Amino acid sequence: MRVLIVGGVAGGASAAARARRLCESCEIVVFDRGEYVSFANCGLPYFIGDVIMEEADLLLATPELFAKRFNIEVRTRSEVTAISASKRTITVTNLRTGVEYLESYDALVLSPGAQPFRPDIPGIELAGVFQLRTIPDSVQIKAAVQGARRAVIVGAGFIGMEMAENLRLQGLEVTLVELADQVLPPFDPEMAILAQERLEENGVVVRLSTSVTGFRDDGGLAVDLSSGETLPADLVLLAIGVRPETKLAKTGGLEIGPRGGIVVDDFMRTSDPNIWAVGDAVEVHDLLTDNWKLIPLAGPANRQGRIAAQNVVGRDGDHEVSRFRGVQGTAIAGIFGLAAAATGASERTLLRAGIEKFGKVYLHNDHHVGYYPGGKAIALKVLYHLGDGRILGAQAVGEAGVARRIDVIATTIQHGGTVYDLAEAELAYAPQYGAAKDPINVAGMIAVNNLEGNLPLADWAHLADTEASVIDVRSPKEFASEHLQGAVNIPVDELRQRLHELPDHKIWLICGVGKRAYYATRLLRQRGFDASNLSGGMKTWRALAASGLAAR
Amino acid sequence: MRVLIVGGVAGGASAAARARRLCESCEIVVFDRGEYVSFANCGLPYFIGDVIMEEADLLLATPELFAKRFNIEVRTRSEVTAISASKRTITVTNLRTGVEYLESYDALVLSPGAQPFRPDIPGIELAGVFQLRTIPDSVQIKAAVQGARRAVIVGAGFIGMEMAENLRLQGLEVTLVELADQVLPPFDPEMAILAQERLEENGVVVRLSTSVTGFRDDGGLAVDLSSGETLPADLVLLAIGVRPETKLAKTGGLEIGPRGGIVVDDFMRTSDPNIWAVGDAVEVHDLLTDNWKLIPLAGPANRQGRIAAQNVVGRDGDHEVSRFRGVQGTAIAGIFGLAAAATGASERTLLRAGIEKFGKVYLHNDHHVGYYPGGKAIALKVLYHLGDGRILGAQAVGEAGVARRIDVIATTIQHGGTVYDLAEAELAYAPQYGAAKDPINVAGMIAVNNLEGNLPLADWAHLADTEASVIDVRSPKEFASEHLQGAVNIPVDELRQRLHELPDHKIWLICGVGKRAYYATRLLRQRGFDASNLSGGMKTWRALAASGLAAR
């Protein structure tokens, strides 16, 4: 069997190695138009930032290693330009010699990846305007950083954020320009704002709701913004997302989906029975919203490559096949020591998918018990189905323990688990590693209380126009330092004695992070008051207000 | 309704607070024979070690707080000495005044905890021989540390390990004496040895398979060991486990189980319909082995307290009840910067429970990608059912990312998940936070390969008497530095060219950590050789050999 693989990074490299492990007798050839295969594209911002010192460190495997270890032929600088699905051939151009030739296959695996989006902006072709996708890209940017003083990054997604950090730590003045009204689009605004604040604390200038209208050579490079502002720059990075690379797939007549990605089934097979496709170029099934999506992430790409190979090769001639379970969008980024991680759907994603029956809780528990020194607060938001309590998504931002909590919730989502499961989770605890009631447990308990009617949650979005009286149950000292407009202060420990001061209509309770207000909510509801809790307390309010999602 | 709670730490404190949140009108009284309630017993070793500086930091809640915030009466220094289940009364002795009195209840919750085991050893009553369970215990030990030079710790479980670290870091010479032939009994020996080595690297002397035969006043304190050795000591800590406190339960005629703990049902109710029990004193259902066990851990105690309260109080008068799902034994301890964590059953536990049809894989992947600086290896062992691939248990030891991986596996176990689920898990990845193929994914993939027949695993225990030829597929340089007796070196990259050198009988393949040997196993099996992999490679061999579980 002759297996040809187009694209030698992540999905393609995984497919090739897995195919060999299952089929020693297969002929396996990998084509890549670039100079390198199997390189660490997620490491490129840190290579530019001199965190990863050597270019060689980025090479996870070389063509020589593929040859020696796996008996796989890798042809670099070899662009596959056309597929004839009926003849089972591909057309290859050797970019070193210009020679074009045909290769035939029994099975073809496409892992062409995605290209950085380059919008049609005047001057985008100017020297000094970079994109970051390959090692040569990163080498160019690294060279440009030498002697540069001012950088403009367009796009505040994961790569934009990581590059802002790495360029800033190299001493550059960095401005981050983002079309949306928030950074980190996979996050809801009140979580993303925490990352934005961290950027700004570290001297990165953030311009939201702003687009680039043009680049000009004005002696140096000048970046014109929709705001009318012009930013001088020694270096510009475009990080405004990627588009699936489907030109080749189209030559083979493969079905392309409504989002512009290659259509595959659960077995990573395209519309042609002899062609599979994996990685950033394919549309994947989103497990939370049941939609198909483009989710360019390394983890799924690697697993898809493995699964495609298993289906290509089969085992022992039988028809055993391997299914890709879909994607839930687990991701994480580091921003100046802060980790921002998410899994499942955001609130916005749910609403877009027409899923409106969800609850949300906020908490700010430390990553380990407070009595052990060094605890760092994790801002955690969990979204769940208001019927059965199924977890729909979670976002977490903090300096420690963030990946761990998101991974636990990701695993719970993988198993269709609920907030009841979070409440009951038995996690590793010692004082320096967590809490007997881990933030995960507490998130689950709050949501269960909400689901079971014990803890109605007030709607932050209506803080400005609610008829409820807001009662702040913190200490007078805390109240004095900052409080919601119109809030009345009755400390939780005095509440039982001061019930006569309370109105007989709707009451919204608030405290620092939601815990004392929860006690107060329970107390008041049992005494017949119509009380609700403002989840996450003043800490969440600050983030919501800064994002324009709650009244100031 | 009158709810009385005996014991005000962890389970009892949780039950009291939860009962109040669900029942504002209940009368709730907590009795504790000690001076403190709701203190951080897990923090005591670190208080002694001056990591936690203030005694006040250990107090999670005071009687005053319980009174003001929760309207719960807490009676400290009040020992409950008898229960009359038929009359629904308890007998209380005020330890301050000696006055004895009766209290009646509608519901009684017992959270008496466990007492440190004090074996019948001559001299155990001598001054300087301590146990650690309460704040006064820790204050005494802290005082004894001043001016002490030599400490002997008896018992190398979690508390013994933590105390060894804390006393050593205070500058004491520390000897850890353990009856078993390993430290950390919840771990299998080849994992526990990693913690032992870390102790020894930090100057703790470890004496295994050794018991204390007596304590003597020999001018100073002298500790006689079964080995014949006598250790002079300024301070001795007994940390040889705890025994459930059931004296009180017995006065009420409550059923005591075969392991000496109070018997409860899934709703934490004892054999008496008006009495519930929670925490270290009760026998709990082990989800992995289906046995009942004593598992004294803070997390389950807290959740049990909550559940008992929910069942005691019910809601709105209906009969809604709350079920405790059982215990899987997730735990973690820190040892001089090393974390040792486990969830589910150990190999030994499985064998004791008669479960023999399990597979095991070892790996040593870094906690994040190797190309990003600072990656720390995690030694990970995963046990799974050889039929359906269900996860039975896991153990991990390393300097970073250990709790996270064990928590993901704990969550998978909670949902009855399999090694297939680990392989497919979608976890948070960025270069500084993990890997596109996380150690969790890799563990799952190895086990799936094993289950599906692609990767037979050799039995380390038969390294000495196997008829297999051991082929080491590392580089000649690695082979030269250390290798298994009788092993033959054929580097993996030369294997295809040197097939003629291989024997036609059983072959066991080994490399550094198992990865190259895996490639070799796949290659050879497809070429018709009877090849198996020595899981975890030389790194696992070193641990097994040091534990006496594999031939040197």
Side-chain angles (χ1 to χ4, degrees):
Chain A
M1 178 148 80
R2 191 152 207 260
V3 181
L4 303 186
I5 296 172
V6 182
V9 185
S14 291
R18 183 66 179 162
R20 172 59 72 227
R21 290 198 295 271
L22 296 176
C23 181
E24 182 65 15
S25 62
C26 287
E27 187 184 353
I28 303 172
V29 186
V30 176
F31 301 86
D32 200 291
R33 84 177 135 207
E35 195 70 60
Y36 303 97
V37 288
S38 203
F39 67 89
N41 37 12
C42 303
L44 298 179
Y46 301 95
F47 173 59
I48 293 168
D50 279 347
V51 177
I52 298 166
M53 297 301 285
E54 301 293 332
E55 188 180 318
D57 291 339
L58 296 171
L59 299 176
L60 307 178
T62 59
E64 293 67 39
L65 185 90
F66 271 103
K68 282 200 305 188
R69 185 155 300 171
F70 300 115
N71 189 25
I72 290 170
E73 186 188 353
V74 175
R75 299 188 195 164
T76 56
R77 302 285 291 136
S78 299
E79 183 159 19
V80 180
T81 54
I83 300 169
S84 169
S86 57
K87 294 182 189 157
R88 291 203 220 157
T89 59
I90 57 173
T91 308
V92 188
T93 301
N94 181 330
L95 297 178
R96 290 190 186 87
T97 62
V99 172
E100 189 175 283
Y101 60 98
L102 290 184
E103 289 285 356
S104 63
Y105 61 81
D106 297 303
L108 177 65
V109 178
L110 303 180
S111 178
Q115 280 297 312
F117 179 51
R118 289 179 73 84
D120 190 17
I121 298 175
I124 197 166
E125 74 292 344
L126 285 173
V129 180
F130 297 99
Q131 61 187 33
L132 177 60
R133 188 74 184 170
T134 64
I135 291 181
D137 290 343
S138 69
V139 170
Q140 281 191 333
I141 296 170
K142 216 173 154 83
V145 167
Q146 304 306 318
R149 192 164 65 79
R150 295 156 309 190
V152 172
I153 298 172
V154 186
F158 287 119
I159 293 174
M161 304 287 273
E162 291 175 346
M163 281 302 299
E165 172 183 325
N166 279 289
L167 294 180
R168 184 77 193 122
L169 292 177
Q170 299 266 69
L172 274 68
E173 295 168 19
V174 177
T175 303
L176 190 57
V177 178
E178 168 60 48
L179 181 61
D181 57 0
Q182 66 166 80
V183 302
L184 284 179
F187 291 72
D188 288 318
E190 75 281 19
M191 304 302 286
I193 190 82
L194 305 174
Q196 181 187 333
E197 288 169 356
R198 179 59 65 106
L199 284 172
E200 291 171 338
E201 285 159 21
N202 285 278
V204 174
V205 176
V206 180
R207 293 270 181 276
L208 299 178
S209 307
T210 304
S211 60
V212 173
T213 55
F215 301 101
R216 284 181 294 114
D217 184 350
D218 191 19
L221 197 55
V223 184
D224 294 324
L225 303 184
S226 56
S227 60
E229 194 180 4
T230 293
L231 302 173
D234 302 310
L235 146 64
V236 171
L237 179 77
L238 298 175
I240 40 182
V242 295
R243 295 290 177 275
E245 180 73 77
T246 54
K247 208 170 71 182
L248 174 62
K250 286 173 185 163
T251 69
L254 302 183
E255 188 184 345
I256 303 299
R259 285 144 215 91
I262 303 172
V263 171
V264 291
D265 63 15
D266 287 354
F267 307 99
M268 305 315 298
R269 196 187 294 242
T270 68
S271 54
D272 183 277
N274 301 306
I275 306 177
W276 287 255
V278 301
D280 295 359
V282 306
E283 297 191 358
V284 290
H285 183 226
D286 180 326
L287 292 164
L288 280 306
T289 60
D290 206 24
N291 291 331
W292 288 78
K293 275 199 176 161
L294 296 165
I295 301 189
L297 289 169
N302 275 282
R303 286 192 295 285
Q304 289 162 9
R306 183 180 176 87
I307 285 166
Q310 288 167 177
N311 290 321
V312 163
V313 172
R315 277 218 306 126
D316 301 328
D318 65 11
H319 284 277
E320 183 176 313
V321 284
S322 182
R323 183 186 293 267
F324 181 65
R325 71 178 184 91
V327 168
Q328 57 191 71
T330 310
I332 188 168
I335 306 112
F336 292 102
L338 197 69
T343 187
S346 66
E347 197 171 336
R348 185 188 312 148
T349 306
L350 291 175
L351 292 173
R352 271 190 205 152
I355 301 170
E356 291 179 1
K357 203 180 163 190
F358 62 85
K360 55 178 163 175
V361 298
Y362 296 97
L363 61 160
H364 301 275
N365 286 37
D366 278 2
H367 86 292
H368 66 51
V369 289
Y371 65 79
Y372 191 94
K376 304 284 184 187
I378 300 173
L380 179 59
K381 175 181 185 178
V382 178
L383 299 159
Y384 52 95
H385 191 273
L386 274 180
D388 57 15
R390 202 164 17 93
I391 313 283
L392 300 174
Q395 298 159 51
V397 182
E399 291 184 353
V402 167
R404 178 178 171 197
R405 272 58 183 215
I406 286 298
D407 277 356
V408 167
I409 298 180
T411 305
T412 305
I413 289 176
Q414 181 182 1
H415 292 276
T418 67
V419 292
Y420 295 89
D421 297 317
L422 296 189
E424 292 179 355
E426 190 184 319
L427 305 175
Y429 162 56
Q432 67 275 53
Y433 295 113
K437 284 182 190 161
D438 192 88
I440 290 292
N441 301 131
V442 176
M445 288 171 181
I446 297 172
V448 168
N449 279 327
N450 174 238
L451 273 180
E452 295 188 340
N454 285 323
L455 181 64
L457 296 173
D459 185 352
W460 280 109
H462 286 108
L463 195 56
D465 57 12
T466 182
E467 289 167 10
S469 297
V470 177
I471 308 291
D472 188 321
V473 298
R474 294 175 300 160
S475 69
K477 193 176 154 193
E478 290 170 281
F479 184 79
S481 82
E482 184 181 35
H483 60 259
L484 299 187
Q485 210 173 3
V488 172
N489 183 217
I490 305 180
V492 62
D493 293 349
E494 300 173 13
L495 205 50
R496 279 185 188 83
Q497 285 71 50
R498 296 173 63 179
L499 294 174
H500 58 277
E501 298 178 33
L502 293 170
D504 59 3
H505 58 258
K506 204 183 278 289
I507 294 172
W508 284 8
L509 291 155
I510 191 165
C511 65
V513 294
K515 193 170 171 184
R516 284 171 288 178
Y518 161 52
Y519 300 150
T521 305
R522 289 305 308 144
L523 195 176
L524 293 187
R525 291 195 68 80
Q526 294 190 69
R527 302 272 183 156
F529 292 90
D530 180 8
S532 305
N533 186 321
L534 281 159
S535 183
M538 291 298 290
K539 223 165 170 175
T540 290
W541 172 74
R542 273 175 221 119
L544 287 164
S547 310
L549 297 178
R552 283 216 167 263
Chain B
M1 175 146 81
R2 192 153 207 260
V3 181
L4 303 186
I5 296 171
V6 182
V9 184
S14 292
R18 183 67 179 162
R20 173 57 75 226
R21 290 198 296 271
L22 296 175
C23 181
E24 182 64 16
S25 62
C26 286
E27 187 184 354
I28 304 171
V29 186
V30 176
F31 301 86
D32 201 291
R33 85 178 134 209
E35 195 69 61
Y36 303 97
V37 288
S38 202
F39 68 90
N41 38 12
C42 304
L44 298 179
Y46 301 94
F47 172 59
I48 293 167
D50 278 348
V51 178
I52 298 167
M53 298 300 286
E54 301 293 333
E55 188 180 319
D57 292 339
L58 296 171
L59 299 176
L60 307 179
T62 59
E64 293 67 38
L65 184 90
F66 271 104
K68 281 200 303 186
R69 185 155 301 171
F70 300 114
N71 189 26
I72 291 169
E73 187 188 354
V74 175
R75 300 187 195 166
T76 56
R77 301 288 289 139
S78 297
E79 182 158 20
V80 180
T81 55
I83 300 167
S84 169
S86 57
K87 294 182 189 156
R88 291 205 221 156
T89 59
I90 59 172
T91 308
V92 188
T93 301
N94 180 330
L95 297 177
R96 291 190 185 88
T97 62
V99 172
E100 189 175 281
Y101 59 98
L102 289 184
E103 289 285 356
S104 64
Y105 62 81
D106 298 302
L108 178 65
V109 179
L110 303 180
S111 179
Q115 280 296 313
F117 180 53
R118 289 180 72 86
D120 191 17
I121 299 175
I124 196 166
E125 74 293 343
L126 285 174
V129 179
F130 297 99
Q131 60 186 31
L132 178 60
R133 188 73 184 169
T134 64
I135 291 182
D137 290 344
S138 69
V139 170
Q140 281 190 335
I141 296 169
K142 214 172 156 82
V145 167
Q146 304 306 317
R149 194 164 64 79
R150 296 156 306 190
V152 173
I153 298 171
V154 187
F158 287 119
I159 293 174
M161 303 288 273
E162 291 175 345
M163 281 301 299
E165 172 183 324
N166 278 288
L167 294 180
R168 184 76 193 122
L169 291 177
Q170 299 267 69
L172 273 68
E173 295 168 20
V174 177
T175 303
L176 190 57
V177 178
E178 167 63 48
L179 182 61
D181 57 0
Q182 66 167 79
V183 301
L184 284 180
F187 291 72
D188 288 318
E190 76 281 20
M191 304 301 288
I193 190 83
L194 304 174
Q196 182 187 334
E197 287 170 356
R198 179 59 64 106
L199 284 171
E200 290 171 340
E201 284 159 19
N202 285 276
V204 174
V205 177
V206 180
R207 293 272 183 272
L208 299 178
S209 307
T210 304
S211 60
V212 173
T213 55
F215 300 101
R216 284 178 296 112
D217 184 349
D218 191 18
L221 197 55
V223 184
D224 293 325
L225 303 184
S226 56
S227 58
E229 193 179 5
T230 293
L231 302 173
D234 304 309
L235 145 65
V236 172
L237 178 77
L238 298 175
I240 40 182
V242 295
R243 295 291 179 271
E245 181 72 78
T246 53
K247 209 170 71 183
L248 175 62
K250 285 173 185 162
T251 68
L254 302 183
E255 187 183 345
I256 304 297
R259 287 146 213 89
I262 302 171
V263 171
V264 290
D265 62 15
D266 287 353
F267 308 99
M268 306 314 298
R269 196 186 295 243
T270 69
S271 55
D272 182 277
N274 301 306
I275 306 178
W276 287 257
V278 301
D280 295 359
V282 306
E283 297 190 357
V284 289
H285 182 226
D286 180 326
L287 294 165
L288 279 306
T289 60
D290 206 24
N291 291 332
W292 288 78
K293 275 200 174 162
L294 296 165
I295 301 190
L297 288 170
N302 275 283
R303 286 192 296 284
Q304 289 162 9
R306 183 181 177 86
I307 286 165
Q310 288 168 176
N311 291 320
V312 163
V313 172
R315 276 217 307 127
D316 301 328
D318 66 10
H319 285 277
E320 183 177 314
V321 283
S322 182
R323 182 187 293 268
F324 182 65
R325 71 178 183 92
V327 168
Q328 57 191 71
T330 311
I332 189 169
I335 306 111
F336 293 102
L338 198 69
T343 187
S346 67
E347 196 171 338
R348 185 188 312 148
T349 306
L350 290 175
L351 292 172
R352 272 190 203 152
I355 300 169
E356 292 180 359
K357 203 181 163 191
F358 62 84
K360 55 178 162 174
V361 298
Y362 296 99
L363 61 160
H364 302 274
N365 287 37
D366 279 2
H367 85 292
H368 67 53
V369 288
Y371 65 79
Y372 191 93
K376 303 285 184 187
I378 300 173
L380 179 60
K381 176 181 184 178
V382 178
L383 298 159
Y384 53 94
H385 191 272
L386 273 181
D388 57 15
R390 203 164 16 93
I391 313 285
L392 300 173
Q395 297 159 52
V397 183
E399 292 184 353
V402 167
R404 178 179 171 195
R405 272 57 182 215
I406 286 298
D407 277 356
V408 167
I409 298 179
T411 306
T412 306
I413 288 176
Q414 180 181 3
H415 292 276
T418 66
V419 292
Y420 295 89
D421 297 318
L422 297 189
E424 293 180 354
E426 190 185 320
L427 304 174
Y429 161 56
Q432 67 274 54
Y433 294 114
K437 284 182 189 161
D438 193 88
I440 290 291
N441 300 132
V442 176
M445 288 171 180
I446 297 171
V448 167
N449 278 326
N450 174 237
L451 274 180
E452 295 190 340
N454 285 324
L455 181 65
L457 296 173
D459 186 351
W460 280 109
H462 286 107
L463 195 55
D465 56 11
T466 182
E467 290 168 8
S469 297
V470 176
I471 308 291
D472 189 322
V473 297
R474 294 175 299 159
S475 69
K477 192 177 154 193
E478 290 169 281
F479 185 79
S481 80
E482 184 180 35
H483 59 258
L484 299 187
Q485 212 173 1
V488 172
N489 183 218
I490 305 181
V492 62
D493 294 348
E494 299 173 13
L495 205 50
R496 281 186 187 83
Q497 285 70 50
R498 295 174 63 180
L499 293 173
H500 58 277
E501 298 178 35
L502 293 169
D504 59 2
H505 58 260
K506 207 183 274 289
I507 294 172
W508 285 6
L509 291 155
I510 191 164
C511 66
V513 293
K515 192 169 169 184
R516 284 170 289 179
Y518 161 50
Y519 300 150
T521 305
R522 290 305 309 144
L523 196 176
L524 292 187
R525 292 194 68 79
Q526 294 192 69
R527 302 272 184 156
F529 292 90
D530 181 7
S532 305
N533 186 321
L534 281 159
S535 184
M538 292 297 291
K539 222 163 172 177
T540 290
W541 172 75
R542 275 175 219 118
L544 287 164
S547 310
L549 298 178
R552 282 215 167 264

